[in-house]
Short mmCIF file of all heavy atoms in Angstrom, two decimals:
data_model
loop_
_atom_site.label_atom_id
_atom_site.label_comp_id
_atom_site.label_asym_id
_atom_site.label_seq_id
_atom_site.Cartn_x
_atom_site.Cartn_y
_atom_site.Cartn_z
N VAL A 1 -49.36 -49.55 23.25
CA VAL A 1 -47.92 -49.70 23.00
C VAL A 1 -47.68 -50.31 21.63
O VAL A 1 -46.81 -49.86 20.87
CB VAL A 1 -47.25 -50.54 24.11
CG1 VAL A 1 -45.84 -50.94 23.73
CG2 VAL A 1 -47.24 -49.78 25.42
N LEU A 2 -48.45 -51.33 21.28
CA LEU A 2 -48.29 -51.98 19.97
C LEU A 2 -48.59 -51.01 18.84
O LEU A 2 -47.88 -50.98 17.83
CB LEU A 2 -49.19 -53.21 19.87
CG LEU A 2 -48.78 -54.40 20.74
CD1 LEU A 2 -49.82 -55.52 20.64
CD2 LEU A 2 -47.40 -54.91 20.35
N GLN A 3 -49.64 -50.20 19.00
CA GLN A 3 -49.97 -49.21 17.97
C GLN A 3 -48.86 -48.18 17.82
O GLN A 3 -48.49 -47.80 16.72
CB GLN A 3 -51.29 -48.53 18.31
CG GLN A 3 -52.50 -49.41 18.12
CD GLN A 3 -53.78 -48.77 18.64
OE1 GLN A 3 -53.75 -47.74 19.30
NE2 GLN A 3 -54.91 -49.39 18.33
N ARG A 4 -48.30 -47.74 18.94
CA ARG A 4 -47.21 -46.76 18.89
C ARG A 4 -45.98 -47.35 18.20
O ARG A 4 -45.30 -46.67 17.45
CB ARG A 4 -46.86 -46.27 20.28
CG ARG A 4 -47.89 -45.33 20.85
CD ARG A 4 -47.49 -44.82 22.21
NE ARG A 4 -48.53 -43.97 22.75
CZ ARG A 4 -48.66 -43.68 24.02
NH1 ARG A 4 -47.78 -44.14 24.90
NH2 ARG A 4 -49.63 -42.89 24.44
N ARG A 5 -45.71 -48.61 18.48
CA ARG A 5 -44.57 -49.26 17.83
C ARG A 5 -44.78 -49.37 16.32
O ARG A 5 -43.85 -49.17 15.55
CB ARG A 5 -44.33 -50.65 18.41
CG ARG A 5 -43.65 -50.62 19.75
CD ARG A 5 -43.28 -52.01 20.20
NE ARG A 5 -42.66 -51.97 21.51
CZ ARG A 5 -42.38 -53.04 22.22
NH1 ARG A 5 -42.65 -54.24 21.74
NH2 ARG A 5 -41.81 -52.92 23.39
N GLN A 6 -46.01 -49.69 15.92
CA GLN A 6 -46.30 -49.78 14.49
C GLN A 6 -46.14 -48.42 13.83
O GLN A 6 -45.60 -48.30 12.74
CB GLN A 6 -47.71 -50.32 14.27
CG GLN A 6 -47.85 -51.79 14.60
CD GLN A 6 -49.30 -52.27 14.57
OE1 GLN A 6 -50.22 -51.47 14.56
NE2 GLN A 6 -49.48 -53.58 14.55
N GLN A 7 -46.61 -47.36 14.50
CA GLN A 7 -46.47 -46.01 13.96
C GLN A 7 -45.00 -45.62 13.87
O GLN A 7 -44.56 -45.03 12.89
CB GLN A 7 -47.23 -45.01 14.83
CG GLN A 7 -48.74 -45.13 14.72
CD GLN A 7 -49.47 -44.27 15.74
OE1 GLN A 7 -48.87 -43.75 16.67
NE2 GLN A 7 -50.78 -44.12 15.57
N ALA A 8 -44.24 -45.96 14.90
CA ALA A 8 -42.81 -45.64 14.90
C ALA A 8 -42.10 -46.38 13.77
O ALA A 8 -41.25 -45.82 13.09
CB ALA A 8 -42.18 -45.99 16.25
N SER A 9 -42.49 -47.61 13.56
CA SER A 9 -41.90 -48.40 12.48
C SER A 9 -42.23 -47.79 11.12
O SER A 9 -41.37 -47.70 10.25
CB SER A 9 -42.41 -49.85 12.55
OG SER A 9 -41.88 -50.60 11.50
N ALA A 10 -43.47 -47.35 10.96
CA ALA A 10 -43.87 -46.70 9.71
C ALA A 10 -43.11 -45.40 9.52
O ALA A 10 -42.67 -45.07 8.41
CB ALA A 10 -45.37 -46.46 9.70
N ASN A 11 -42.93 -44.64 10.60
CA ASN A 11 -42.17 -43.39 10.53
C ASN A 11 -40.72 -43.65 10.15
O ASN A 11 -40.14 -42.92 9.35
CB ASN A 11 -42.24 -42.63 11.85
CG ASN A 11 -43.61 -42.03 12.11
OD1 ASN A 11 -44.41 -41.86 11.20
ND2 ASN A 11 -43.87 -41.71 13.36
N GLU A 12 -40.13 -44.70 10.72
CA GLU A 12 -38.75 -45.05 10.40
C GLU A 12 -38.62 -45.43 8.93
O GLU A 12 -37.67 -45.02 8.26
CB GLU A 12 -38.27 -46.21 11.27
CG GLU A 12 -37.98 -45.81 12.71
CD GLU A 12 -37.53 -46.98 13.56
OE1 GLU A 12 -36.99 -47.97 12.99
OE2 GLU A 12 -37.70 -46.92 14.78
N ALA A 13 -39.58 -46.19 8.42
CA ALA A 13 -39.55 -46.58 7.01
C ALA A 13 -39.67 -45.35 6.12
O ALA A 13 -38.97 -45.22 5.11
CB ALA A 13 -40.67 -47.57 6.71
N ARG A 14 -40.55 -44.43 6.49
CA ARG A 14 -40.73 -43.20 5.72
C ARG A 14 -39.45 -42.35 5.74
O ARG A 14 -39.02 -41.83 4.72
CB ARG A 14 -41.91 -42.41 6.27
CG ARG A 14 -42.43 -41.33 5.34
CD ARG A 14 -43.72 -40.69 5.83
NE ARG A 14 -44.65 -41.63 6.42
CZ ARG A 14 -45.10 -41.58 7.69
NH1 ARG A 14 -44.71 -40.63 8.49
NH2 ARG A 14 -45.95 -42.47 8.13
N LEU A 15 -38.85 -42.24 6.91
CA LEU A 15 -37.61 -41.48 7.04
C LEU A 15 -36.48 -42.12 6.23
O LEU A 15 -35.68 -41.41 5.60
CB LEU A 15 -37.20 -41.35 8.50
CG LEU A 15 -38.04 -40.40 9.35
CD1 LEU A 15 -37.62 -40.49 10.82
CD2 LEU A 15 -37.93 -38.98 8.86
N ALA A 16 -36.40 -43.44 6.25
CA ALA A 16 -35.38 -44.13 5.47
C ALA A 16 -35.57 -43.88 3.97
O ALA A 16 -34.60 -43.65 3.24
CB ALA A 16 -35.40 -45.63 5.77
N ALA A 17 -36.81 -43.91 3.52
CA ALA A 17 -37.09 -43.64 2.11
C ALA A 17 -36.74 -42.20 1.75
O ALA A 17 -36.15 -41.94 0.70
CB ALA A 17 -38.57 -43.92 1.80
N ASP A 18 -37.07 -41.26 2.64
CA ASP A 18 -36.72 -39.86 2.41
C ASP A 18 -35.21 -39.67 2.35
O ASP A 18 -34.69 -38.93 1.51
CB ASP A 18 -37.31 -38.96 3.50
CG ASP A 18 -38.83 -38.81 3.41
OD1 ASP A 18 -39.40 -39.19 2.37
OD2 ASP A 18 -39.42 -38.32 4.38
N LEU A 19 -34.50 -40.35 3.24
CA LEU A 19 -33.05 -40.26 3.27
C LEU A 19 -32.44 -40.82 1.98
O LEU A 19 -31.53 -40.22 1.40
CB LEU A 19 -32.49 -41.00 4.49
CG LEU A 19 -30.98 -40.97 4.68
CD1 LEU A 19 -30.49 -39.53 4.81
CD2 LEU A 19 -30.58 -41.77 5.90
N ASP A 20 -32.97 -41.94 1.51
CA ASP A 20 -32.50 -42.51 0.25
C ASP A 20 -32.73 -41.55 -0.91
O ASP A 20 -31.87 -41.38 -1.77
CB ASP A 20 -33.18 -43.85 -0.04
CG ASP A 20 -32.69 -44.97 0.87
OD1 ASP A 20 -31.60 -44.81 1.48
OD2 ASP A 20 -33.39 -45.99 0.98
N ALA A 21 -33.90 -40.92 -0.93
CA ALA A 21 -34.21 -39.96 -1.99
C ALA A 21 -33.26 -38.76 -1.94
O ALA A 21 -32.79 -38.29 -2.97
CB ALA A 21 -35.67 -39.50 -1.87
N LEU A 22 -32.99 -38.28 -0.73
CA LEU A 22 -32.07 -37.15 -0.59
C LEU A 22 -30.65 -37.53 -0.99
O LEU A 22 -29.94 -36.73 -1.61
CB LEU A 22 -32.08 -36.63 0.85
CG LEU A 22 -33.35 -35.88 1.25
CD1 LEU A 22 -33.34 -35.59 2.75
CD2 LEU A 22 -33.49 -34.60 0.46
N ARG A 23 -30.24 -38.74 -0.69
CA ARG A 23 -28.91 -39.20 -1.11
C ARG A 23 -28.83 -39.26 -2.63
O ARG A 23 -27.81 -38.87 -3.22
CB ARG A 23 -28.61 -40.56 -0.51
CG ARG A 23 -28.24 -40.49 0.95
CD ARG A 23 -27.87 -41.85 1.51
NE ARG A 23 -27.43 -41.73 2.88
CZ ARG A 23 -27.63 -42.65 3.81
NH1 ARG A 23 -28.28 -43.75 3.52
NH2 ARG A 23 -27.19 -42.46 5.04
N ALA A 24 -29.87 -39.75 -3.26
CA ALA A 24 -29.89 -39.82 -4.73
C ALA A 24 -29.85 -38.41 -5.32
O ALA A 24 -29.14 -38.16 -6.31
CB ALA A 24 -31.13 -40.58 -5.20
N GLU A 25 -30.61 -37.51 -4.74
CA GLU A 25 -30.62 -36.12 -5.22
C GLU A 25 -29.24 -35.49 -5.04
O GLU A 25 -28.74 -34.79 -5.93
CB GLU A 25 -31.68 -35.31 -4.47
CG GLU A 25 -31.80 -33.88 -4.95
CD GLU A 25 -32.88 -33.11 -4.21
OE1 GLU A 25 -33.64 -33.70 -3.41
OE2 GLU A 25 -32.97 -31.89 -4.43
N HIS A 26 -28.62 -35.75 -3.92
CA HIS A 26 -27.27 -35.22 -3.66
C HIS A 26 -26.28 -35.76 -4.70
O HIS A 26 -25.46 -35.00 -5.22
CB HIS A 26 -26.82 -35.59 -2.25
CG HIS A 26 -25.43 -35.15 -1.93
ND1 HIS A 26 -24.35 -35.98 -2.05
CD2 HIS A 26 -24.94 -33.95 -1.52
CE1 HIS A 26 -23.26 -35.33 -1.73
NE2 HIS A 26 -23.58 -34.09 -1.39
N ALA A 27 -26.36 -37.04 -4.99
CA ALA A 27 -25.46 -37.63 -5.98
C ALA A 27 -25.67 -36.99 -7.35
O ALA A 27 -24.69 -36.69 -8.06
CB ALA A 27 -25.67 -39.14 -6.06
N ALA A 28 -26.92 -36.76 -7.71
CA ALA A 28 -27.22 -36.13 -9.01
C ALA A 28 -26.69 -34.70 -9.05
O ALA A 28 -26.11 -34.27 -10.06
CB ALA A 28 -28.72 -36.16 -9.28
N LEU A 29 -26.88 -33.97 -7.96
CA LEU A 29 -26.39 -32.59 -7.91
C LEU A 29 -24.86 -32.55 -7.93
O LEU A 29 -24.26 -31.67 -8.56
CB LEU A 29 -26.91 -31.88 -6.66
CG LEU A 29 -28.41 -31.55 -6.69
CD1 LEU A 29 -28.84 -31.04 -5.31
CD2 LEU A 29 -28.72 -30.53 -7.76
N LYS A 30 -24.23 -33.50 -7.27
CA LYS A 30 -22.77 -33.56 -7.28
C LYS A 30 -22.25 -33.83 -8.68
O LYS A 30 -21.30 -33.18 -9.13
CB LYS A 30 -22.31 -34.66 -6.31
CG LYS A 30 -20.81 -34.73 -6.14
CD LYS A 30 -20.43 -35.77 -5.11
CE LYS A 30 -18.92 -35.85 -4.98
NZ LYS A 30 -18.53 -36.90 -4.04
N THR A 31 -22.90 -34.75 -9.39
CA THR A 31 -22.51 -35.05 -10.77
C THR A 31 -22.69 -33.82 -11.65
O THR A 31 -21.81 -33.49 -12.46
CB THR A 31 -23.33 -36.24 -11.31
OG1 THR A 31 -23.09 -37.38 -10.48
CG2 THR A 31 -22.97 -36.55 -12.75
N ALA A 32 -23.82 -33.15 -11.50
CA ALA A 32 -24.08 -31.95 -12.30
C ALA A 32 -23.05 -30.86 -11.99
O ALA A 32 -22.56 -30.17 -12.89
CB ALA A 32 -25.50 -31.44 -12.04
N SER A 33 -22.70 -30.71 -10.72
CA SER A 33 -21.71 -29.72 -10.32
C SER A 33 -20.34 -30.04 -10.92
O SER A 33 -19.64 -29.15 -11.42
CB SER A 33 -21.62 -29.67 -8.80
OG SER A 33 -20.60 -28.80 -8.39
N GLU A 34 -19.97 -31.30 -10.87
CA GLU A 34 -18.68 -31.71 -11.44
C GLU A 34 -18.65 -31.47 -12.95
O GLU A 34 -17.65 -31.02 -13.49
CB GLU A 34 -18.41 -33.18 -11.11
CG GLU A 34 -18.10 -33.41 -9.64
CD GLU A 34 -18.08 -34.88 -9.25
OE1 GLU A 34 -18.44 -35.74 -10.09
OE2 GLU A 34 -17.73 -35.16 -8.09
N THR A 35 -19.75 -31.78 -13.62
CA THR A 35 -19.84 -31.55 -15.06
C THR A 35 -19.73 -30.06 -15.38
O THR A 35 -19.00 -29.66 -16.29
CB THR A 35 -21.17 -32.11 -15.62
OG1 THR A 35 -21.22 -33.51 -15.33
CG2 THR A 35 -21.31 -31.89 -17.10
N ALA A 36 -20.45 -29.25 -14.62
CA ALA A 36 -20.40 -27.79 -14.84
C ALA A 36 -18.99 -27.26 -14.59
O ALA A 36 -18.49 -26.41 -15.35
CB ALA A 36 -21.41 -27.09 -13.94
N THR A 37 -18.34 -27.74 -13.56
CA THR A 37 -16.98 -27.30 -13.26
C THR A 37 -16.03 -27.66 -14.40
O THR A 37 -15.21 -26.82 -14.83
CB THR A 37 -16.50 -27.95 -11.94
OG1 THR A 37 -17.35 -27.53 -10.89
CG2 THR A 37 -15.06 -27.56 -11.63
N THR A 38 -16.14 -28.85 -14.92
CA THR A 38 -15.28 -29.28 -16.03
C THR A 38 -15.53 -28.42 -17.25
O THR A 38 -14.58 -27.97 -17.91
CB THR A 38 -15.54 -30.77 -16.35
OG1 THR A 38 -15.26 -31.55 -15.19
CG2 THR A 38 -14.68 -31.24 -17.50
N ARG A 39 -16.78 -28.18 -17.55
CA ARG A 39 -17.11 -27.35 -18.72
C ARG A 39 -16.60 -25.92 -18.55
O ARG A 39 -16.08 -25.31 -19.49
CB ARG A 39 -18.61 -27.37 -18.98
CG ARG A 39 -19.10 -28.75 -19.46
CD ARG A 39 -20.57 -28.78 -19.70
NE ARG A 39 -20.87 -27.96 -20.87
CZ ARG A 39 -22.10 -27.67 -21.26
NH1 ARG A 39 -23.13 -28.11 -20.56
NH2 ARG A 39 -22.30 -26.93 -22.31
N LEU A 40 -16.76 -25.37 -17.35
CA LEU A 40 -16.27 -24.02 -17.10
C LEU A 40 -14.75 -23.96 -17.21
O LEU A 40 -14.20 -23.02 -17.81
CB LEU A 40 -16.71 -23.53 -15.72
CG LEU A 40 -18.17 -23.11 -15.60
CD1 LEU A 40 -18.53 -22.87 -14.13
CD2 LEU A 40 -18.43 -21.86 -16.42
N ASP A 41 -14.06 -24.95 -16.66
CA ASP A 41 -12.60 -24.98 -16.76
C ASP A 41 -12.16 -25.05 -18.21
O ASP A 41 -11.22 -24.37 -18.63
CB ASP A 41 -12.03 -26.17 -15.98
CG ASP A 41 -12.10 -25.99 -14.47
OD1 ASP A 41 -12.29 -24.84 -14.03
OD2 ASP A 41 -11.96 -27.00 -13.75
N THR A 42 -12.84 -25.88 -19.00
CA THR A 42 -12.52 -26.00 -20.42
C THR A 42 -12.75 -24.68 -21.14
O THR A 42 -11.91 -24.23 -21.93
CB THR A 42 -13.37 -27.12 -21.07
OG1 THR A 42 -13.10 -28.34 -20.38
CG2 THR A 42 -13.06 -27.27 -22.54
N THR A 43 -13.86 -24.03 -20.86
CA THR A 43 -14.17 -22.74 -21.49
C THR A 43 -13.15 -21.68 -21.10
O THR A 43 -12.68 -20.91 -21.94
CB THR A 43 -15.59 -22.29 -21.10
OG1 THR A 43 -16.52 -23.30 -21.49
CG2 THR A 43 -15.96 -20.98 -21.77
#
């Protein structure tokens, strides 16, 4: 049981890190999309 809990905790930490990375990627893509939209509107 203790080993399973440790593995679950490690999995949770890994998932949290992956989620943070995906959020950062989403924010970057959103910024790029907004920039492209502005440039297209200007053009």
Side-chain angles (χ1 to χ4, degrees):
V1 168
L2 290 175
Q3 288 172 350
R4 286 182 183 161
R5 283 187 182 172
Q6 289 172 345
Q7 289 172 347
S9 178
N11 288 341
E12 286 179 24
R14 196 173 320 120
L15 287 174
D18 289 347
L19 182 59
D20 288 342
L22 288 172
R23 284 183 176 147
E25 183 179 353
H26 177 264
L29 289 171
K30 185 176 178 183
T31 300
S33 175
E34 290 169 353
T35 301
T37 299
T38 301
R39 291 180 69 188
L40 284 171
D41 288 343
T42 301
T43 302

